[in-house]
Amino acid sequence: MSATETTVELGPFIAGKAEPLGDSVQEIRDPATQRVVGRVAAATAEDVDRAVRAAQDAFADWSARGVAERGDIVGRAARALRAGVDVLAPVLTAEQGKPLREARIELDKAAETLEHYAGLAKELRGAFVLGLDPGVSGQVLRRPLGVVGAIVPWNFPTTLLANKLGPALVAGNTVVAKPADTTPLTTLRAAAIMHDAGVPAGVFNVVAGPGRETGEALVTHPLVRKVAFTGSTPTGQRIMSLAADGPKRLTLELGGSDPLIILEDADLARAASAASMGRFFNCGQACLAVKRLYVAESVADEVAEAVVQKASRLTVGRGTEKGVQLGPLHSERQRDLLEDQLRRTLEQGGDVLTGGGRPAADELSGGWFHEPTIVFEPPHDSPMATEEVFGPVLPIWRVRDLDEAIERANASPFGLGSSVWTSDLDAAAEAAERLECGYTWINSPTKVYDELPFGGVKASGFGKEHGSEAFDYYTDQKAVVIRRRTREQQ
Ligand code: NDP
């Protein structure tokens, strides 16, 4: 089954069953061609209520199972997902637009994250404190929260869900997920695959539909104890205000404008590769994409030339075509937004070194394509520096030294990640201390490791995904005081 032949029809996945489409149907279109590739039910508030109740009903049994058993089931689900990559990757490409190779990478990574948490199951433990007072000890029990609402965007529908699903399920919670209204197909399919692999009915449910209706019905449902959200900062702020009514636990993984700093003693070729890969993977639509490049002035022209070479050689095309490295932007809205940011920037200043518009090829005119683009020295108060730019446009600035680079990097409202390339260990260590963000890569491509906590500061949100730290966000730590009779009392 190739992506171009796929037309999937799916209702919500509730209590282990794929339900019929119903009356409120939403079409899913391929961003490369605008062809309809699927139809899904837009879940109503009643559908959300049924899904949350199914998750609540499943909670007692799921949370009472041994943690090793839950880990084992999540591990089986992960292996089933991995075995399903050949079926799921074309569906992901069809609804999201990314090249097939990147769709496979994404799905493998989602399975890897679930496997990671399956493996961590036996590490999930609380604490025991002896001697609080004579004859008094304390326990810290980790208890699951209950029903978790997981809301994810369209850029990485499966990995961003797996980041939530892994720790939530292993810790004993049940989940209702809401994918973006333009990318529900892979998630609905994955839920069925994972159920068939042994995830009990009601433990993982999926409702598709628009954020304002389906998403808000989930966030405000009284039985939802925690909302784990990835998406834009304004939506995160809206969810935060809605969650105040609970009040509910929240993890907000919001936007980013990650800087990459290259000092003059860096390995320039590897640094330029990291900048290019970090910017153009997934057509630049990643929260942790490299969105600002600051280069020491003595090597700035050399680095700019290397990055331009890489950008201009990328093969732009439909994700289903062999050899394509850059697919379309996900939607018309995303392309309009990007073009507007580029136009407003260039009105203020800056030189386009390559790209700058839509590709000329006729066969790409039906999709939301944009050329890989490099802009040299736009003003520091232009949208390239002050807004999140979610597409294949990389601005480059010259900086005098590390101090200026850090000052510029920290001037952003966002604080998700950052990168530093240098052979000076002291400079690297100083940068890691001073950069205001949740993750710093030193001489490394921007790869996220399951072993390390990931999450932002400032307008990039709060809370951690990945790492054993993620369990803190899906458990409550309950204190228990145990007093034994002292000798005098016996
Ligand atoms: P949103 O933040 O609007 O959407 C993310 C998820 O939240 C989607 O599932 C969406 O549903 C849902 N949602 C939207 N509104 C609500 C609400 N009121 N209550 C509950 N859930 C809601 O991001 P967009 O997709 O609209 O993208 C806009 C911009 O956000 C991008 O240009 C980019 O800058 C940024 N972004 C950042 C991401 C990141 O990883 N940092 C990821 C995606 C976007 P639905 O799609 O159905 O509206």
Side-chain angles (χ1 to χ4, degrees), residues 110-158:
E112 190 181 310
T113 297
L114 293 176
E115 279 161 359
H116 180 78
Y117 283 100
L120 281 185
K122 289 178 185 165
E123 304 291 318
L124 185 64
R125 52 175 69 117
F128 187 80
V129 188
L130 266 177
L132 290 170
D133 267 322
V136 179
S137 61
Q139 288 179 355
V140 183
L141 306 182
R142 273 188 189 269
R143 302 169 74 224
L145 305 172
V147 179
V148 171
I151 300 181
V152 292
W154 44 262
N155 53 344
F156 293 97
T158 63

Side-chain angles (χ1 to χ4, degrees), residues 26 150-156 160 178-183 208-219 227 229-236 238-239 242 253-256 285-288 291 330 333-334 337 341 388-390 414 416 460:
Q26 185 177 314
I151 300 181
V152 292
W154 44 262
N155 53 344
F156 293 97
L160 295 173
K178 194 210 85 68
D181 61 352
T182 49
T183 54
R212 275 277 168 179
E213 290 88 43
T214 316
E216 294 205 4
L218 183 58
V219 172
V227 178
F229 171 75
T230 301
S232 64
T233 301
T235 304
R238 166 91 184 142
I239 287 176
L242 292 173
E253 205 269 90
L254 309 178
Q285 303 165 114
C287 53
L288 51 74
K291 296 185 182 129
H330 178 58
R333 179 173 157 232
Q334 288 304 124
L337 181 60
Q341 288 173 314
E388 178 174 36
V389 176
F390 227 57
F414 297 102
L416 195 54
S460 295

